[in-house]
Amino acid sequence: MVIEHFPEIRRLSSAEKLIFVSELWDDLAEHPAELPVESHVVEELDRRMQEFKNAPERFTTWEEIQQKILGSRA
Protein backbone atom coordinates (compact mmCIF):
# COMPACT_ATOMS: atom_id res chain seq x y z
CA MET A 1 0.00 0.00 0.00
CA VAL A 2 1.23 3.49 -0.81
CA ILE A 3 0.42 4.94 2.61
CA GLU A 4 3.03 2.63 4.16
CA HIS A 5 5.69 4.61 2.28
CA PHE A 6 4.36 7.91 3.64
CA PRO A 7 3.69 7.36 7.36
CA GLU A 8 3.25 11.10 7.94
CA ILE A 9 -0.12 10.85 6.19
CA ARG A 10 -1.46 8.80 9.10
CA ARG A 11 -0.67 11.70 11.44
CA LEU A 12 -2.89 14.13 9.53
CA SER A 13 -6.29 15.02 10.90
CA SER A 14 -9.36 13.93 8.97
CA ALA A 15 -9.81 17.47 7.65
CA GLU A 16 -6.18 17.58 6.53
CA LYS A 17 -6.55 14.21 4.82
CA LEU A 18 -9.59 15.46 2.91
CA ILE A 19 -7.64 18.51 1.77
CA PHE A 20 -4.75 16.28 0.76
CA VAL A 21 -7.03 13.99 -1.24
CA SER A 22 -8.67 16.96 -2.92
CA GLU A 23 -5.34 18.46 -3.91
CA LEU A 24 -4.10 15.08 -5.12
CA TRP A 25 -7.25 14.60 -7.20
CA ASP A 26 -6.87 18.08 -8.70
CA ASP A 27 -3.28 17.30 -9.61
CA LEU A 28 -4.33 14.08 -11.33
CA ALA A 29 -7.09 15.91 -13.21
CA GLU A 30 -4.54 18.29 -14.71
CA HIS A 31 -2.99 15.39 -16.66
CA PRO A 32 -5.84 13.05 -17.69
CA ALA A 33 -3.84 11.50 -20.56
CA GLU A 34 -1.37 10.10 -18.03
CA LEU A 35 -4.02 8.11 -16.17
CA PRO A 36 -4.15 4.42 -16.99
CA VAL A 37 -7.43 3.13 -18.39
CA GLU A 38 -8.06 -0.58 -18.60
CA SER A 39 -8.99 -1.95 -22.01
CA HIS A 40 -12.38 -3.27 -20.85
CA VAL A 41 -13.32 0.26 -19.75
CA VAL A 42 -12.40 1.68 -23.16
CA GLU A 43 -14.37 -1.11 -24.86
CA GLU A 44 -17.45 -0.36 -22.75
CA LEU A 45 -17.21 3.37 -23.47
CA ASP A 46 -16.87 2.64 -27.19
CA ARG A 47 -19.89 0.34 -27.03
CA ARG A 48 -21.97 2.98 -25.27
CA MET A 49 -20.93 5.67 -27.75
CA GLN A 50 -21.92 3.44 -30.65
CA GLU A 51 -25.25 2.75 -28.98
CA PHE A 52 -25.79 6.50 -28.62
CA LYS A 53 -24.84 7.14 -32.25
CA ASN A 54 -27.27 4.45 -33.41
CA ALA A 55 -30.23 5.83 -31.45
CA PRO A 56 -29.60 9.22 -29.80
CA GLU A 57 -33.33 9.72 -29.24
CA ARG A 58 -33.26 6.93 -26.63
CA PHE A 59 -31.03 9.02 -24.37
CA THR A 60 -31.68 11.94 -22.06
CA THR A 61 -29.49 15.05 -22.03
CA TRP A 62 -27.98 16.37 -18.81
CA GLU A 63 -30.11 19.49 -19.19
CA GLU A 64 -33.29 17.38 -19.40
CA ILE A 65 -32.29 15.47 -16.27
CA GLN A 66 -31.62 18.70 -14.39
CA GLN A 67 -35.00 20.06 -15.46
CA LYS A 68 -36.75 16.91 -14.25
CA ILE A 69 -34.96 17.02 -10.90
CA LEU A 70 -34.90 20.73 -10.22
CA GLY A 71 -37.94 21.87 -12.17
CA SER A 72 -38.13 25.63 -12.46
CA ARG A 73 -35.20 26.10 -10.03
CA ALA A 74 -32.67 25.08 -12.75
Side-chain angles (χ1 to χ4, degrees), residues 3 14 19 21 26 35 42 49 52 60 62 64 67 71:
I3 201 164
S14 294
I19 292 168
V21 168
D26 290 344
L35 296 173
V42 173
M49 181 57 76
F52 171 73
T60 305
W62 177 238
E64 291 169 329
Q67 184 63 34

Side-chain angles (χ1 to χ4, degrees), residues 54-73:
N54 290 341
E57 69 282 355
R58 291 180 42 220
F59 295 85
T60 305
T61 66
W62 177 238
E63 290 77 16
E64 291 169 329
I65 292 169
Q66 285 180 310
Q67 184 63 34
K68 286 179 184 179
I69 293 171
L70 300 175
S72 62
R73 296 183 302 180

Side-chain angles (χ1 to χ4, degrees), residues 1 5 7 10-11 14 27 29 36 39 41 43 45 57 63 72:
M1 212 166 146
H5 298 285
R10 292 192 189 277
R11 292 190 292 271
S14 294
D27 185 65
S39 61
V41 173
E43 291 167 7
L45 291 172
E57 69 282 355
E63 290 77 16
S72 62

Side-chain angles (χ1 to χ4, degrees), residues 17-41:
K17 287 176 183 175
L18 284 172
I19 292 168
F20 178 72
V21 168
S22 176
E23 289 180 3
L24 186 60
W25 186 262
D26 290 344
D27 185 65
L28 287 169
E30 289 180 18
H31 311 283
E34 296 175 8
L35 296 173
V37 180
E38 296 181 21
S39 61
H40 72 276
V41 173

